[in-house]
Amino acid sequence: MNAPARLGLYGAGLVAVFTVAFTAAGAVVPDETVQAWSAEVSEQHHRTAEADAETDAGPRHHDGGASLLGLGLAQVGYQLVTVDTPTSTDTDGEISLAVTGPDGAPVTDVELEHDKELHLIVVRADGQHFRHVHPEPGAEGTWTVPWQWEAAGTYRIFVDFVPAATGEALTLSTTTQVAGDYHPQPADRPVTETTVADFEVTVDGELRAGQASALTLTVTRDGQPVTTLEPYLGAFGHLVMLREGDLAYLHVHPHGHAPRVGETSGPHIVFETTAPTPGRYLLFLDFQVDGQVHTAPLVVDVTAATRPDIAGGGASTSDGHGHDENGEGEGEGDGH
């Protein structure tokens, strides 16, 4: 939220608080007093907006200019509601949720995004126990998926979808508590190589805050390149990137064309993203081989940008599909 909007909400909140306080005390706030408060807030809003407009960079962005998603229940009139989950690790159940639109009605008409209508991503606050699943639609706009928690703790639940009414991707989120003994395991260092099943996965690339950067993920088995990566969710790999701490959700875009029927690829998968701030980021790569989906967790550190004026440039590398260094090729894929 930009500075004027925050100030407006803050001022409106003050008016509401003071009004409730006076009413509770048995007094009534005079209309002219409320109007004076509102006028002061509006004037402050106007002055801040003018200050933003006068800067060379336009409105101030506290996220470094990159897209920060998944930190709230609502976005552009769409709201995540009625999220129910099991409450402990010893309970079999389901996650159920609904999303309402600007008109307050449940959203039932959504577009396919990466071969699915709705993506549900769940991860514990320390970055452990990541899962990416796809709920099924039910009656009255409710989406459900069978669920059992593996461990206790605080979890963030992301819902990623494209309303047909707008055609624009949205990411909404909330948190839930799972009862039991909680033993956090936050990342204490970068993890640029890991093993899942019998596959080794590595990540290469230098990320600078506010600049488009490429990450190359490589899949091998017994030290040999894996060239049988199968399409999964419309690409040869699906990458979720979360900022450690608040778990802000970043869009990550794969290079290369959309997979053709029967086509395989590997061992490299190249993604491009823009990290909003320096710090530590959690990566989760989903890839498919022989019909089995595997998830590889990795951790990278993002350094401060050295030249913000060139943000968005210079991230070029081979994309693992035989394209040139600029990632140019037939039908470049799009994902996040």
Side-chain angles (χ1 to χ4, degrees):
M1 183 182 295
N2 58 32
R6 285 199 306 274
L7 286 168
L9 288 176
Y10 177 68
L14 286 178
V15 173
V17 169
F18 285 133
T19 301
V20 171
F22 272 89
T23 302
V28 177
V29 181
D31 289 341
E32 58 271 20
T33 303
V34 174
Q35 291 170 3
W37 287 339
S38 300
E40 183 177 351
V41 169
S42 298
E43 177 62 23
Q44 179 63 51
H45 180 108
H46 179 69
R47 288 197 301 268
T48 307
E50 284 184 334
D52 281 336
E54 290 172 359
T55 63
D56 291 337
R60 291 184 289 270
H61 296 281
H62 298 282
D63 62 1
S67 178
L68 272 176
L69 303 170
L71 290 179
L73 286 165
Q75 185 179 354
V76 295
Y78 291 85
Q79 183 171 348
L80 180 60
V81 297
T82 60
V83 180
D84 294 318
T85 74
T87 58
S88 64
T89 57
D90 58 359
T91 303
D92 289 327
E94 64 181 17
I95 291 180
S96 65
L97 59 94
V99 176
T100 56
D103 59 357
V107 176
T108 58
D109 190 7
V110 296
E111 296 182 358
L112 283 181
E113 182 189 29
H114 312 305
D115 296 339
K116 299 293 182 179
E117 292 181 300
L118 187 141
H119 299 259
L120 180 69
I121 294 164
V122 180
V123 63
R124 201 168 67 176
D126 59 352
Q128 303 296 320
H129 303 288
F130 173 93
R131 290 173 68 182
H132 177 182
V133 297
H134 306 101
E136 294 293 329
E140 299 180 355
T142 299
W143 301 77
T144 61
V145 60
W147 199 264
Q148 182 176 28
W149 298 107
E150 297 176 350
T154 300
Y155 286 79
R156 182 167 286 278
I157 298 174
F158 299 92
V159 177
D160 202 347
F161 66 103
V162 178
T166 66
E168 298 291 336
L170 296 178
T171 304
L172 308 177
S173 81
T174 188
T175 58
T176 189
Q177 305 290 333
V178 180
D181 293 333
Y182 175 37
H183 304 286
Q185 299 174 287
D188 57 2
R189 58 182 177 81
V191 178
T192 57
E193 56 183 61
T194 190
T195 300
V196 52
D198 56 349
F199 298 94
E200 301 89 33
V201 180
T202 62
V203 58
D204 295 291
E206 183 177 4
L207 297 183
R208 293 189 179 276
Q211 298 179 8
S213 306
L215 288 173
T216 300
L217 289 99
T218 303
V219 183
T220 60
R221 181 161 45 188
D222 298 325
Q224 300 300 312
V226 173
T227 58
T228 55
L229 297 176
E230 300 166 348
Y232 178 63
L233 302 179
F236 289 113
H238 187 280
L239 184 65
V240 169
M241 188 170 174
L242 305 173
R243 184 169 63 183
E244 187 183 52
D246 60 3
L247 298 180
Y249 186 99
L250 276 67
H251 276 178
V252 186
H253 303 273
H255 284 212
H257 62 267
R260 304 178 183 90
V261 176
E263 183 180 11
T264 58
S265 184
H268 307 297
I269 318 169
V270 177
F271 299 88
E272 185 173 287
T273 189
T274 302
T277 58
R280 185 153 290 165
Y281 290 78
L282 314 175
L283 277 59
F284 302 92
L285 173 69
D286 289 333
F287 65 96
Q288 180 169 283
V289 177
D290 296 330
Q292 181 69 38
V293 177
H294 305 278
T295 301
L298 298 151
V299 182
V300 298
D301 285 343
V302 174
T303 59
T306 54
R307 292 185 58 193
D309 56 306
I310 60 171
S316 63
T317 182
S318 170
D319 66 6
H321 297 283
H323 299 162
D324 61 25
E325 287 188 342
N326 293 319
E328 294 179 355
E330 180 182 351
E332 181 170 314
D334 180 50
H336 57 275

